[in-house]
Amino acid sequence: MIKTAPGTRHIIFGMVFLLSGLMGQAHALTVLSSAKDIALDTGWHATGHYTCVYEAASPDDVGKLHQIIGQVKDRPDKSIQMVIDVRLPDGSSVAWEPVTQNDLPPGTRVSITVDIAKDFPGFEGLFADTMHINQGDPIKYVSYRIQFPRRLSFIRKVVLNHKSREDMDCADRFTWSGKNVSRLDIFISTAISWEQVTRRYQSHFQERLGGGLLPSDLPIQLGDINPTGSPDEKIRAVLCFLNSEIVYRRSPGSGHALLPDPPLTVLQRKWGDCKDFALLATALLRAMDIETFVVLTGKPRNSTQKAIPDPFIFDHALVGFDHKGQTTYYDCTTPEPVAAVNKQQIYLPLKMFENDKILASITHCDIPITY
């Protein structure tokens, strides 16, 4: 048994722990078991592990395992460590690191365990978790367990071989296991309504917007814009500024997959991701007397099932502008000033507060989603 260096990659995206990250390249491998066990303490600190046990039947299988392990190692995250246990058919163990494609006899079992210790970045009220399996050959045994720090209401959904069940539960843990599983999706969310998701997101975005930007905060590139110019002129100027002066880059910080940084921070450091761009654009335009707002969007999916409230369905952020009863959406990360947006992608417009008054009502397009 070996442990990799602390700087190895997890399969965590924000707060979502994706077991599929270990298995995404393993369709041709025999998976003997897949397990996930996560516990949360009262401070919403997550600890636990997820493990896949593979059977290497050929040198090609060993090569595929090297690829899987390499992908994990190449994306460092200090919150996890990976343990690899190689068991030969006779039950003896060998170290993994020197293993080449021809070193292991058929029937060798390779267990990959990712241990995690992760603090949630102030979004504990919207905890969500998922386990996804989708491959041609069934996994012999699958188990899933999550332990909450206290009894609370949560929504769960299990989709197994195209049969789904969605119900409410009130407990402190959720456990599921099955044999010969080829398709499985488990979703857990402690946000029990879209209204709760909206309120939490709006409060966090508003907190980061703060008092907004003053006209004196506008960069010199926007200083020549006519104060009495049209909204279209100002919006185009801001989009051109963002695409010429701000570099698109994801923050390595914990939680940045969910929340933006303050506009002034992004303006000063000159880089950010789509949420940073959208919130900065909102701040710049409001400083120019154009009321815009952030819109969280996702990929439309077809389903007869109602979506479980889950902050992780949002995969992009736009800017919205209401004018004469119509809303226009702008994608701040592209040079083109106007985004061609499928309105079925619009999930959560975050209308901002000002002086404790709502500038515009919050709406949500409750689109059925399948996972």
Side-chain angles (χ1 to χ4, degrees):
M1 179 182 295
I2 66 166
K3 290 189 177 182
T4 64
T8 54
R9 165 68 177 171
H10 74 267
I11 307 131
I12 302 171
F13 178 74
M15 295 182 294
V16 183
F17 307 102
L18 298 175
L19 187 62
S20 58
L22 278 178
M23 300 173 53
Q25 303 296 324
H27 300 296
L29 291 169
T30 298
V31 186
L32 300 177
S33 66
S34 174
K36 179 174 183 178
D37 194 332
I38 302 293
L40 300 169
D41 63 20
T42 54
W44 290 84
H45 180 78
T47 56
H49 64 271
Y50 34 103
T51 300
C52 281
V53 180
Y54 302 94
E55 184 175 76
S58 69
D60 286 344
D61 288 348
V62 178
K64 292 183 176 71
L65 286 169
H66 271 291
Q67 286 184 331
I68 293 172
I69 293 168
Q71 289 173 355
V72 176
K73 289 181 178 180
D74 289 343
R75 302 169 66 183
D77 187 312
K78 294 182 179 179
S79 69
I80 68 100
Q81 60 180 355
M82 183 169 59
V83 177
I84 307 170
D85 185 22
V86 182
R87 298 285 174 174
L88 301 177
D90 62 6
S92 61
S93 62
V94 296
W96 170 258
E97 291 297 342
V99 167
T100 67
Q101 287 189 252
N102 297 314
D103 283 344
L104 299 181
T108 297
R109 297 187 175 190
V110 179
S111 171
I112 304 175
T113 298
V114 175
D115 292 316
I116 66 129
K118 193 79 171 179
D119 284 313
F120 290 112
F123 235 75
E124 62 278 1
L126 290 178
F127 174 80
D129 189 73
T130 182
M131 181 179 187
H132 172 73
I133 293 171
N134 189 356
Q135 62 177 39
D137 297 327
I139 299 174
K140 306 300 182 183
Y141 180 75
V142 177
S143 65
Y144 172 97
R145 175 181 175 272
I146 185 164
Q147 174 74 51
F148 291 103
R150 56 182 178 273
R151 295 184 68 85
L152 49 73
S153 295
F154 63 88
I155 296 177
R156 71 189 186 197
K157 183 176 184 179
V158 179
V159 182
L160 176 65
N161 296 331
H162 303 285
K163 296 179 181 179
S164 65
R165 182 187 67 187
E166 180 178 352
D167 55 12
M168 294 289 293
D169 198 5
C170 188
D172 59 356
R173 72 177 64 194
F174 175 75
T175 303
W176 186 92
S177 63
K179 295 181 179 179
N180 297 317
V181 176
S182 59
R183 181 174 183 267
L184 172 68
D185 288 281
I186 297 176
F187 299 93
I188 303 288
S189 177
T190 57
I192 61 174
S193 70
W194 278 110
E195 290 75 16
Q196 184 180 0
V197 175
T198 299
R199 288 194 302 270
R200 181 58 72 92
Y201 262 97
Q202 179 170 343
S203 66
H204 280 289
F205 271 70
Q206 179 61 43
E207 177 184 354
R208 282 152 179 78
L209 182 66
L213 298 178
L214 300 173
S216 58
D217 295 322
L218 292 174
I220 58 175
Q221 293 91 332
L222 299 176
D224 294 332
I225 300 300
N226 185 351
T228 61
S230 68
D232 183 66
E233 178 185 358
K234 294 179 180 179
I235 291 172
R236 287 173 180 269
V238 166
L239 293 178
C240 289
F241 166 76
L242 292 175
N243 282 274
S244 62
E245 301 296 330
I246 308 297
V247 176
Y248 182 88
R249 184 196 308 171
R250 291 182 57 85
S251 169
S254 175
H256 199 78
L258 297 169
L259 300 173
D261 286 323
L264 198 55
T265 298
V266 179
L267 194 59
Q268 291 171 345
R269 76 186 183 196
K270 298 186 180 302
W271 60 265
D273 68 2
C274 65
K275 295 176 300 301
D276 298 320
F277 272 59
L279 193 60
L280 175 55
T282 295
L284 291 170
L285 288 165
R286 290 182 64 173
M288 301 165 71
D289 296 321
I290 304 297
E291 291 296 344
T292 54
F293 52 91
V294 178
V295 180
L296 301 181
T297 72
K299 297 178 180 178
R301 303 152 187 163
N302 298 320
S303 174
T304 58
Q305 297 283 342
K306 190 175 181 180
I308 287 181
D310 181 352
F312 307 109
I313 68 169
F314 308 129
D315 59 9
H316 196 38
L318 305 176
V319 166
F321 173 59
D322 290 330
H323 184 61
K324 295 182 179 181
Q326 292 187 335
T327 302
T328 304
Y329 302 101
Y330 302 88
D331 189 337
C332 300
T333 63
T334 66
E336 297 299 325
V338 180
V341 176
N342 179 349
K343 289 189 176 181
Q344 286 191 326
Q345 293 178 290
I346 305 303
Y347 288 107
L348 197 59
L350 299 176
K351 303 296 180 69
M352 298 304 176
F353 287 91
E354 188 173 76
N355 298 326
D356 296 326
K357 294 181 180 179
I358 300 179
L359 296 173
S361 62
I362 302 171
T363 60
H364 170 67
C365 185
D366 192 8
I367 300 173
I369 299 170
T370 184
Y371 295 92

